[in-house]
Amino acid sequence: MGRPALEVADIFRIHGPGWREAQRGHLNLAQLKVMSAIEQCRSAALGGHVLRCEGCGTDQVSYNSCRNRHCPKCQSSAAQRWLEARQADLLPVEYFHVVFTLPAPIADIAYWNKAIVYGLLFDIAAETLLTIGCDRKHLGARLGVTLVLHTWGSALTHHPHVHGIVPGGGLSPDGQRWIACRPGFFLPVRVLSRLFRRRFLEALLAAHREGRLKFFGEHSSLADADTFARWLAPLRECEWAVYAKRPFAGPDAVLAYLSRYTHRVAISNSRLIALDDRGVTFRWKDYRAKGRTRYKAMTLGVGEFMRRFLLHVLPGGFHRIRHYGLLANGCRKASLALARQLLAVPPGDSQADVDATNPPPTFICRHCGQPMIVLQTFTRGQTIRAPPASP
């Protein structure tokens, strides 16, 4: 058998204790909790189960997951549950992918003001889409929007942006018609960019006036109102990156896309190449390059790798997937029912209803694919007793 694949947890377990000691006072509680969770994930420290396959009789020890949303190993099942719930929301229309990105200067101050700045990124991006969508000069319809926050670039740098998934159309203001976008065209990107820039800067300035922003180090002078206003001035003139990608090839493609994006973390274990004396080597994508040359390998010192990973820890309770307009939680069910009626979509059982009546087994044998039963449950720090012999 070959060497086990490298994981972020291995890096944290080997180098985390010494690095945390050196960084004492520079890591917040949320970052420390993330490191601890990842280090303990799927190990005896969290307890687990002794399982037996009903098909081949194989016994297996399954350790509990940490279920931390920043853990690379804990996102696949969470993503699958979320996707099954969202499958019932899809409509038989074109779907578009829109990306709103914050300029680098604002990303710099966002690190110390994550809840406020990321919250504005969500709300202003959604407001921009809904406002332009309602405008009769463009579409004149009430849209539904799902936004997903990513805070990283491929090299683990701080690069806050939201990915938007939007049906290609919406309900008329009176709710009597479904108004579809022109085939292959959603909304004008330049118009979206201008409104997003203006509204975001207005909201950021209001947050500063209310004393809700914090500044440290080289940005300490921005606490002064006049200095902050001068700092904002160039951002009113530069281009803000709003990007609309071509429509998806049907609802199934939307789900495939969402499965890659909704529960992604800063770096997946599959991108890690090596941990050695030089540091951590991983694959990354250079979007400035073309073709195969954009796929490269980067080596960072272990401390710098961990620092960059922890840049992307979100504040406690902060939702990184949000729904707006027709898809807002308070009106989603009624809005989708009306949309289906106007699109003449026949009613059917949702996937959630099917799963509720015939739930899949919790544990599956990796050898034969049959369900596994729990023989023993052990808690944190408890010694595992040997399971009874198979008959």
Side-chain angles (χ1 to χ4, degrees):
M1 294 179 62
R3 177 185 297 179
L6 179 63
E7 298 180 349
V8 172
D10 299 323
I11 300 167
F12 281 4
R13 289 181 190 127
I14 296 169
H15 296 282
W19 186 72
R20 282 193 294 270
E21 184 65 27
Q23 297 294 315
R24 179 172 294 188
H26 295 281
L27 298 176
N28 60 41
L29 181 60
Q31 291 171 324
L32 292 171
K33 285 184 175 179
V34 167
M35 290 192 76
S36 176
I38 292 175
E39 289 172 19
Q40 296 182 354
C41 186
R42 299 188 190 177
S43 71
L46 296 184
H49 308 82
V50 178
L51 309 172
R52 174 166 294 164
C53 176
E54 294 181 331
C56 64
T58 300
D59 291 335
Q60 175 185 327
V61 175
S62 174
Y63 295 115
N64 291 334
S65 301
C66 67
R67 297 193 177 185
N68 189 288
R69 60 177 170 171
H70 302 92
C71 176
K73 288 191 291 192
C74 287
Q75 301 312 302
S76 58
S77 59
Q80 186 60 39
R81 291 192 300 270
W82 189 87
L83 287 171
E84 289 170 356
R86 296 286 75 76
Q87 191 168 23
D89 297 346
L90 292 176
L91 298 170
V93 299
E94 281 190 322
Y95 276 78
F96 291 84
H97 175 198
V98 187
V99 184
F100 292 82
T101 303
L102 292 180
I106 293 180
D108 289 341
I109 66 169
Y111 177 73
W112 298 107
N113 300 277
K114 289 183 177 180
I116 295 170
V117 177
Y118 294 169
L120 289 178
L121 174 57
F122 266 119
D123 293 342
I124 303 302
E127 177 190 313
T128 298
L129 289 167
L130 298 177
T131 300
I132 301 302
C134 282
D135 191 332
R136 292 183 182 276
K137 292 187 297 183
H138 300 292
L139 186 61
R142 292 184 289 137
L143 301 177
V145 180
T146 293
L147 295 177
V148 181
L149 173 68
H150 285 180
T151 63
W152 54 83
S154 186
L156 294 181
T157 51
H158 192 219
H159 180 64
H161 57 285
V162 289
H163 294 264
I165 309 298
V166 191
L171 298 177
S172 62
D174 60 5
Q176 299 300 307
R177 293 181 298 126
W178 176 266
I179 301 176
C181 296
R182 283 184 285 161
F185 180 81
F186 178 49
L187 294 171
V189 171
R190 183 184 278 292
V191 175
L192 293 173
S193 176
R194 295 293 187 271
L195 180 58
F196 176 62
R197 179 180 65 187
R198 177 172 66 81
R199 285 291 300 114
F200 190 95
L201 291 177
E202 289 172 352
L204 192 66
L205 189 58
H208 188 280
R209 283 197 300 265
E210 296 163 5
R212 297 165 56 205
L213 299 178
K214 299 178 294 183
F215 302 98
F216 301 92
E218 63 181 292
H219 296 105
S220 297
S221 62
L222 296 180
D224 175 73
D226 292 337
T227 303
F228 188 71
R230 289 193 298 271
W231 180 81
L232 282 183
L235 294 171
R236 301 182 189 279
E237 306 299 327
C238 69
E239 293 294 330
W240 285 41
V242 176
Y243 177 53
K245 296 187 177 181
R246 65 178 183 271
F248 294 99
D252 289 342
V254 177
L255 280 181
Y257 171 84
L258 286 173
S259 68
R260 295 195 302 269
Y261 272 82
T262 54
H263 292 71
R264 183 178 286 184
V265 298
I267 188 169
S268 63
N269 288 328
S270 61
R271 287 175 54 199
L272 300 177
I273 298 173
L275 172 64
D276 52 32
D277 293 340
R278 297 183 302 150
V280 182
T281 302
F282 60 93
R283 299 179 186 88
W284 70 293
K285 186 187 295 185
D286 184 354
Y287 289 94
R288 297 167 298 183
K290 300 293 184 182
R292 289 187 176 183
T293 60
R294 64 169 40 186
Y295 296 96
K296 302 176 179 179
M298 175 181 292
T299 300
L300 297 175
V302 173
E304 177 61 12
F305 176 86
M306 291 189 285
R307 186 194 71 83
R308 290 195 189 187
F309 185 93
L310 295 174
L311 284 175
H312 310 291
V313 173
L314 296 176
F318 189 89
H319 295 282
R320 65 178 178 185
I321 305 172
R322 302 188 185 187
H323 309 279
Y324 296 86
L326 301 182
L327 298 178
N329 292 333
C331 64
R332 179 191 299 133
K333 187 174 182 180
S335 297
L336 289 174
L338 177 57
R340 289 193 179 93
Q341 178 184 336
L342 296 174
L343 291 166
V345 178
D349 295 332
S350 71
Q351 186 65 37
D353 294 335
V354 173
D355 290 344
T357 56
N358 189 23
T362 304
F363 300 104
I364 299 293
C365 180
R366 59 190 174 194
H367 299 289
C368 69
Q370 294 298 307
M372 303 191 80
I373 58 173
V374 177
L375 298 181
Q376 178 188 343
T377 299
F378 54 96
T379 58
R380 294 169 181 256
Q382 182 180 350
T383 303
I384 309 172
R385 300 193 308 269
S390 302

